[in-house]
Amino acid sequence: MKKRKLNIRLLQIGFILTVLILTGTQAFSKDKLITYPAPEGAILTKDFTVKVRQAGQEWHELAGYRVKVDEVRETKHNESIATMSYFDFFGTVEVAVTFNNGTVESGRVRPLSYEIEPKIDGNTLTFQLDRPRNLSVEVNGDIFHNLHLFANPIEDYIPNPTDTNTIYFGPGIHQFENRKLYVPSGKTVYIAGGAILMGQVLIENAQDVKVLGRGMIDHRIKMGVSIANSKNVLVEGIFCTQCATGGSDSVTIRNVKSISYYGWGDGMNVFASNNVLFDHVFCRNSDDCTTVYATRKGFTGGCNNITMQNSTLWADVAHPIMIGIHGNSDDPDTIQNLKYLNIDILDQKEMQVDYQGCMTINAGDNNVVKDVLFEDIRVEDFREGQLLNLRIFNNQKYCTAPGLGIENITFRNIEYNGDNANLSIISGYNEERKVKDITFENLRINGRLISDDMPGKPAWYKTSDLARFFVGEHVENVRFVDTEKNDSEAKCTSE
């Protein structure tokens, strides 16, 4: 009993100190920086020395955790060792990344849309950050032994570890029975910075559950977080391999980082769920980064109101975004009201033509997929694949029927810069199973705006030819619109 009271007292003291660290500095400076030492026994790499500081103050060295990524060479999958580091800040910080394995010939920080240009001095890259970012730091073009640097916002809530509704994991490595932690309703799991869980976090048939923190689930644990048949769930701030949602409602996944390296390593699946929000997530995966499916894996029904925003996707295999293949052929499902907003796609690498497409809707199993918006999507030069793929098909490996329809899909402010894109495909199945009402607003490919009235387009060309899109049979009403031009003309008319 005395030992238990002592442990509780130590937890209370640690909690108070943490709050003082988080709030006390705010009284003296608006800028804040929090770093977390690696726990004893953590698996680290020595490829990089990573330091961070507030301007003019002392440097703080970050732990470099080992993670694995999937490198496909020809048709073979190979595990490569990469690095992951993280910290929290508010204001402005300077970052220094020293490469320890040779000479730095070049360096870059991605997503490229952030326009972070590192300065190179010898073997060290330096740059500034003025807001939270999830980044890839790459030396000499090496994307398989890179640094994944997660610069988090300051936590706005840390639960009291002695609260009976809190399951608290402080800094250190934590084991639990059968490598499975089942979270009951009404509980908050807190994984502190510097904590590593050696098992899955499972939220099943529960409601009002939170999983928070800055720590991680070990990179070797498949399906680090699973949400099944649950309601009102928040997962925020942690690192894991995968985070799947099935048969659930009102789920928010925020600032979760997912990196996987094994077969079928999908990052953030959604099955037969409604009202799911992904915000500021980072997915680098050995299969699809994010999917929306209907009936599948014991979950039944369609999907409604799924949003992913302000996020970064990197598919070492398969699709960054995949929608629609799985459903119930006997009792058809509808997948509807999906939004993908303000997203950077860093890569796709897929040799199989059936599984290409950075933005893919493949309707199978008598599914109807409708009312989908892709807006403000920036696609970097991926290694192999297609920019988009919209098809109704009967993939006999996974489906028992073709899809029923793909309808009302809008691509707005899509930018692709690169040379490796294969021919994109838009294709229906038959006269009863069509792709229809597809609108491209302000599509830019290598800086060129593609529209039906673009200058220099031969009258006998389809606009899709200039985008390198194949628009096949059983497709209706595909439009390419330049709203920037229309807005400019409307302004001139009003003046």
Side-chain angles (χ1 to χ4, degrees):
M1 182 64 72
K2 288 182 179 179
K3 184 177 181 181
R4 175 174 172 79
K5 287 183 178 178
L6 176 62
N7 288 338
I8 291 175
R9 183 60 179 161
L10 289 173
L11 281 172
Q12 290 173 330
I13 293 171
F15 175 72
I16 292 169
L17 288 173
T18 300
V19 172
L20 288 173
I21 290 170
L22 291 177
T23 61
T25 55
Q26 191 172 7
F28 301 101
S29 171
K30 67 175 183 178
D31 290 357
K32 289 177 283 187
L33 171 64
I34 302 173
T35 61
Y36 304 96
E40 184 177 351
I43 303 174
L44 306 177
T45 69
K46 297 182 179 179
D47 291 351
F48 301 95
T49 300
V50 187
K51 296 180 180 180
V52 62
R53 71 176 179 182
Q54 295 170 275
Q57 299 189 26
E58 65 176 317
W59 289 102
H60 298 266
E61 186 170 341
L62 306 180
Y65 293 93
R66 184 179 76 174
V67 294
K68 293 182 181 180
V69 298
D70 185 12
E71 180 180 358
V72 179
R73 304 173 197 154
E74 296 182 349
T75 59
K76 303 296 183 182
H77 294 264
N78 300 271
E79 298 175 6
S80 292
I81 304 300
T83 302
M84 186 271 286
S85 297
Y86 63 92
F87 64 95
D88 302 351
F89 81 108
F90 177 80
T92 301
V93 293
E94 298 174 4
V95 178
V97 178
T98 300
F99 181 58
N100 298 323
N101 289 339
T103 302
V104 175
E105 302 293 341
S106 65
R108 66 177 180 175
V109 179
R110 297 199 294 157
L112 297 178
S113 68
Y114 294 167
E115 298 182 339
I116 299 173
E117 295 291 341
K119 297 179 181 178
I120 301 175
D121 183 4
N123 281 6
T124 299
L125 288 68
T126 59
F127 53 91
Q128 285 192 337
L129 296 176
D130 62 2
R131 70 197 73 181
R133 298 290 202 190
N134 294 322
L135 304 171
S136 172
V137 181
E138 300 157 11
V139 172
N140 301 335
D142 188 346
I143 63 173
F144 297 109
H145 305 89
N146 61 314
L147 167 67
H148 303 86
L149 183 62
F150 301 133
N152 299 298
I154 299 292
E155 293 177 277
D156 57 10
Y157 171 70
I158 297 178
N160 190 325
T162 63
D163 187 330
T164 56
N165 288 323
T166 298
I167 303 171
Y168 191 97
F169 295 98
I173 297 178
H174 300 271
Q175 307 276 355
F176 33 84
E177 188 176 356
N178 298 322
R179 292 197 168 189
K180 296 181 185 295
L181 174 67
Y182 291 92
V183 186
S185 293
K187 296 290 186 180
T188 294
V189 177
Y190 184 74
I191 308 170
I196 302 175
L197 304 193
M198 300 302 296
Q200 298 173 304
V201 174
L202 304 174
I203 304 163
E204 299 182 356
N205 302 300
Q207 61 183 5
D208 303 320
V209 168
K210 296 178 181 178
V211 180
L212 310 173
R214 289 293 182 263
M216 59 189 290
I217 298 173
D218 187 83
H219 74 280
R220 295 165 292 182
I221 303 297
K222 298 180 180 180
M223 192 55 69
V225 177
S226 177
I227 303 164
N229 303 316
S230 296
K231 187 174 182 179
N232 296 330
V233 176
L234 169 64
V235 183
E236 183 170 5
I238 67 169
F239 171 91
C240 60
T241 50
Q242 298 170 275
C243 183
T245 300
S248 297
D249 196 339
S250 302
V251 174
T252 297
I253 314 294
R254 179 173 288 119
N255 191 30
V256 172
K257 285 74 68 172
S258 162
I259 299 177
S260 59
Y261 62 92
Y262 41 80
W264 295 281
D266 290 9
M268 298 188 182
N269 297 118
V270 177
F271 307 100
S273 295
N274 301 316
N275 305 307
V276 180
L277 171 64
F278 300 94
D279 186 25
H280 284 93
V281 301
F282 177 97
C283 295
R284 180 178 185 177
N285 301 111
S286 51
D287 210 316
D288 303 319
C289 292
T290 182
T291 68
V292 179
Y293 299 143
T295 297
R296 176 74 167 165
K297 292 186 178 291
F299 305 112
T300 303
C303 288
N304 182 40
N305 192 26
I306 314 296
T307 298
M308 174 173 279
Q309 62 188 23
N310 309 317
S311 297
T312 302
L313 306 178
W314 179 338
D316 281 317
V317 184
H319 310 86
I321 299 171
M322 172 58 162
I323 303 164
I325 187 172
H326 300 295
N328 184 348
S329 297
D330 297 324
D331 186 11
D333 297 317
T334 298
I335 297 172
Q336 61 186 337
N337 299 320
L338 277 55
K339 295 179 181 179
Y340 298 86
L341 311 172
N342 190 31
I343 291 174
D344 288 279
I345 295 177
L346 303 193
D347 204 358
Q348 178 187 32
K349 176 68 170 72
E350 181 54 73
M351 182 176 177
Q352 300 174 89
V353 176
D354 270 349
Y355 305 105
Q356 294 182 358
C358 292
M359 293 164 281
T360 293
I361 303 175
N362 287 164
D365 283 345
N366 284 326
N367 285 333
V368 173
V369 181
K370 64 179 183 178
D371 304 328
V372 182
L373 171 63
F374 299 90
E375 184 173 290
D376 297 326
I377 313 289
R378 298 162 296 276
V379 184
E380 297 184 14
D381 195 11
F382 45 85
R383 284 171 285 159
E384 184 170 11
Q386 301 168 17
L387 180 59
L388 59 91
N389 188 296
L390 307 182
R391 284 187 296 154
I392 298 173
F393 68 177
N394 186 2
N395 183 324
Q396 296 186 5
K397 186 175 181 179
Y398 295 109
C399 303
T400 57
L404 286 176
I406 296 174
E407 307 171 6
N408 192 28
I409 314 299
T410 300
F411 295 86
R412 180 178 296 136
N413 303 332
I414 309 298
E415 297 183 19
Y416 169 64
N417 291 290
D419 302 315
N420 293 327
N422 295 331
L423 188 71
S424 290
I425 298 173
I426 304 174
S427 180
Y429 191 79
N430 58 29
E431 283 301 304
E432 289 73 43
R433 300 170 185 263
K434 292 183 177 181
V435 175
K436 59 184 180 180
D437 301 327
I438 312 300
T439 301
F440 296 90
E441 296 181 11
N442 308 327
L443 171 66
R444 290 186 181 275
I445 297 179
N446 291 320
R448 187 183 191 188
L449 200 154
I450 309 296
S451 70
D452 290 329
D453 58 355
M454 62 191 293
K457 181 177 78 69
W460 59 92
Y461 273 46
K462 295 179 181 177
T463 309
S464 57
D465 294 333
L466 300 179
R468 302 303 298 152
F469 296 174
F470 170 72
V471 178
E473 294 76 18
H474 315 299
V475 177
E476 291 182 357
N477 191 26
V478 178
R479 301 186 306 135
F480 294 81
V481 181
D482 177 359
T483 63
E484 296 175 358
K485 176 182 177 181
N486 294 340
D487 290 344
S488 177
E489 290 177 348
K491 183 179 179 181
C492 291
T493 301
S494 64
E495 290 175 350

